[in-house]
Amino acid sequence: MPGLVHVVDDDASFRTAIERRLKLSGYDVATYASAQELLDRLPDDSKPGCILLDVRIPGLSGPELQSRLIELGSTVPIVFLTGHADTPTTVRAIKAGAEDFLTKPVSSEQLIDAIERALARQEASRHHRRKLESLRALVATLTPREHQVFDLIVRGKINKQIGHELGTTERTIKAHRHQVMEKMQVRSLAELVSIAERLGLLDADKA
Amino acid sequence: MPGLVHVVDDDASFRTAIERRLKLSGYDVATYASAQELLDRLPDDSKPGCILLDVRIPGLSGPELQSRLIELGSTVPIVFLTGHADTPTTVRAIKAGAEDFLTKPVSSEQLIDAIERALARQEASRHHRRKLESLRALVATLTPREHQVFDLIVRGKINKQIGHELGTTERTIKAHRHQVMEKMQVRSLAELVSIAERLGLLDADKA
DNA sequence: AGTTATTTCAGACCATTGTCCCAGTGGTCA
DNA sequence: TGACCACTGGGACAATGGTCTGAAATAACT
């Protein structure tokens, strides 16, 4: 599956030139004349892709677009490509998670390298997020009561304590516990705790 | 406790000027004329401190020193301060974890800001590493056999399976298990699994 | 009005773990 | 040799968790 590169630049001739170069290297390309244009047809996180972004563009600037995307929860990696790079902007962009910060003119090698890294990172983070997402989906199937029981189980409470804490009997907790194990598709307490840990549900009192 | 700033620069007059400015702001300062000099009397990770590092210095360059320190396992945050910053170097330094990348001349405000961020990050990461270190210390008290049992317990195996897998009886595993819980200072399986997860001991088969 | 989901609870029974007590073997080290 | 530790195992018992079958009340939605 070829990567999709979203090129954002206000210079039409530059866009077509880059588009040609990237397509020759086997990438799919979508071009945008402004940050707003990209926001309007927002790239889908679920497909492998990255953004090739100019810093100085009319309207929303490159870094401003980066901030907006982060706020929106997007994880599409960004490669900045600009004519003039000042150090503070570069530092901020990279610290905000940009994959690279290139200056025009850029060699094809540099460009392809950066895009490949961006796509690889996107791929890795997608896999990771998918796993977490599937776990969260399982947790979402729990009823409120089951969720309470789940929380207390993974904190090491025993059924008796949980029953007392929730104002019910040990027998009932046993039933809930069975449901929790069933819905979370685990067969051991260890797996359940492991899931809770990876979802950050145990950080509250372990801090 | 005042932060200790390690200033590495080959320009003696610059070192004394910076030292004066930093001491006026309440920091302790140690100066080094070269990267090698800093490596020779290596800053102690255990004290709050950061490195103010010039990029172009005779011998080992700033980024080269950064690499060496990372290889050595140091986590002292680095603030680069250089006369001339080119974009690739800036990008590499930040991606390698540098706290900031400033250009001379630098305003006191910028400088202090960067140092404060570096010290704050050092402090946070120190807390985190200390917690992990204390957990690892507990694990280290386990005998080889106990460690094996520990691994299998947190993977959800039951005593019977563990006994079979290790070629011994369930009764013996019970004894080991008791020792493990004792030494790890936990009273529930949940806590044990949580510790294993945080130490990354469960990633092998959960990938 | 009927259906469904949620939460509640029971008895009986087995499996698993935890906790006392105890003890032998083999290795290391002063 | 004597002390210590790791590893091994046993008996007896209590505590806890898991499974099976069954049931009832409440709320929400169709």
Side-chain angles (χ1 to χ4, degrees):
Chain A
M1 176 156 50
L4 173 55
V5 182
H6 304 272
V7 178
V8 184
D9 200 299
D10 61 325
D11 182 340
S13 65
F14 175 81
R15 284 200 304 274
T16 53
I18 279 284
E19 180 170 7
R20 193 164 49 236
R21 282 168 71 182
L22 290 178
K23 283 193 169 169
L24 279 175
S25 297
Y27 297 103
D28 290 334
V29 179
T31 62
Y32 310 81
S34 72
Q36 192 56 49
E37 210 175 292
L38 181 136
L39 283 173
D40 288 343
R41 26 194 194 113
L42 202 57
D44 189 351
D45 270 31
S46 68
K47 283 199 170 69
C50 68
I51 299 175
L52 191 60
L53 181 55
D54 194 5
V55 173
R56 294 191 184 182
I57 39 181
L60 231 55
S61 77
E64 281 165 353
L65 173 58
Q66 183 185 28
S67 302
R68 296 276 296 125
L69 288 173
I70 291 173
E71 285 168 18
L72 293 172
S74 168
T75 62
V76 181
I78 296 175
V79 175
F80 280 97
L81 176 53
T82 186
H84 173 72
D86 64 293
T87 305
T89 303
T90 306
V91 169
R92 267 196 296 273
I94 298 294
K95 287 174 84 171
E99 182 56 42
D100 214 329
F101 204 103
L102 306 175
T103 49
K104 301 176 187 175
V106 66
S107 73
S108 283
E109 190 193 346
Q110 268 189 315
L111 184 58
I112 303 299
D113 270 9
I115 289 176
E116 279 302 311
R117 274 200 312 276
L119 292 175
R121 193 166 67 136
Q122 161 84 331
E123 191 62 19
S125 92
R126 260 176 61 216
H127 276 143
H128 187 246
R129 275 181 299 118
R130 267 200 205 147
K131 272 187 283 185
L132 287 188
E133 209 36 67
S134 69
L135 293 183
R136 267 191 280 269
L138 288 181
V139 173
T141 68
L142 298 180
T143 67
R145 201 55 157 174
E146 285 162 0
H147 202 300
Q148 289 179 312
V149 174
F150 171 72
D151 271 347
L152 294 171
I153 290 177
V154 297
R155 278 178 171 72
K157 302 293 180 70
I158 63 180
N159 290 345
K160 202 184 295 183
Q161 294 174 317
I162 298 174
H164 183 261
E165 202 155 322
L166 297 184
T168 179
T169 69
E170 183 186 350
R171 188 59 196 78
T172 302
I173 300 305
K174 238 175 187 175
H176 287 319
R177 185 176 188 132
H178 180 78
Q179 276 298 107
V180 169
M181 301 291 281
E182 186 101 5
K183 286 186 175 179
M184 296 303 294
Q185 299 171 15
V186 297
R187 278 187 323 281
S188 70
L189 173 57
E191 293 177 72
L192 202 65
V193 175
S194 175
I195 287 175
E197 181 74 44
R198 275 179 283 163
L199 289 179
L201 302 177
L202 292 180
D203 297 346
D205 37 31
K206 294 284 170 58
Chain B
M1 177 156 49
L4 173 56
V5 183
H6 304 271
V7 178
V8 183
D9 200 300
D10 60 324
D11 181 341
S13 65
F14 175 82
R15 284 201 304 274
T16 52
I18 280 283
E19 182 170 8
R20 193 164 50 239
R21 282 168 72 181
L22 290 178
K23 283 193 169 167
L24 279 175
S25 297
Y27 297 104
D28 290 335
V29 178
T31 63
Y32 311 81
S34 72
Q36 192 56 49
E37 210 176 292
L38 181 135
L39 283 172
D40 288 342
R41 26 192 193 115
L42 202 57
D44 187 353
D45 271 31
S46 69
K47 283 199 169 69
C50 67
I51 299 175
L52 191 61
L53 181 56
D54 195 6
V55 172
R56 295 191 183 181
I57 40 180
L60 230 56
S61 76
E64 281 165 354
L65 174 57
Q66 183 185 26
S67 301
R68 295 278 294 124
L69 288 174
I70 291 173
E71 284 169 19
L72 293 173
S74 167
T75 62
V76 181
I78 297 176
V79 174
F80 280 98
L81 176 54
T82 186
H84 172 73
D86 64 293
T87 305
T89 302
T90 306
V91 169
R92 266 195 298 273
I94 298 294
K95 286 174 86 171
E99 182 54 45
D100 214 330
F101 204 102
L102 306 175
T103 49
K104 300 177 189 176
V106 66
S107 73
S108 283
E109 190 193 348
Q110 268 189 316
L111 184 57
I112 303 298
D113 270 9
I115 288 176
E116 280 301 310
R117 274 201 311 277
L119 292 176
R121 192 167 66 137
Q122 161 84 330
E123 189 63 18
S125 92
R126 262 176 60 216
H127 276 144
H128 187 246
R129 276 182 298 115
R130 264 199 209 150
K131 273 186 285 185
L132 287 188
E133 209 36 68
S134 69
L135 292 182
R136 268 191 279 268
L138 288 181
V139 173
T141 67
L142 299 179
T143 68
R145 203 53 159 174
E146 286 162 358
H147 202 301
Q148 289 180 313
V149 175
F150 171 72
D151 271 347
L152 294 171
I153 290 177
V154 297
R155 278 177 171 73
K157 303 292 181 69
I158 63 180
N159 290 345
K160 202 182 296 183
Q161 294 174 316
I162 298 173
H164 184 261
E165 202 156 321
L166 298 184
T168 179
T169 68
E170 183 186 351
R171 187 59 194 78
T172 302
I173 300 305
K174 237 176 187 176
H176 287 320
R177 185 175 189 133
H178 181 78
Q179 276 298 108
V180 170
M181 301 291 281
E182 186 100 4
K183 287 185 174 179
M184 296 302 294
Q185 299 171 14
V186 296
R187 279 188 320 283
S188 70
L189 173 57
E191 292 177 72
L192 202 66
V193 176
S194 176
I195 288 174
E197 181 73 43
R198 275 178 284 163
L199 289 179
L201 302 177
L202 291 179
D203 297 347
D205 39 31
K206 293 285 170 58

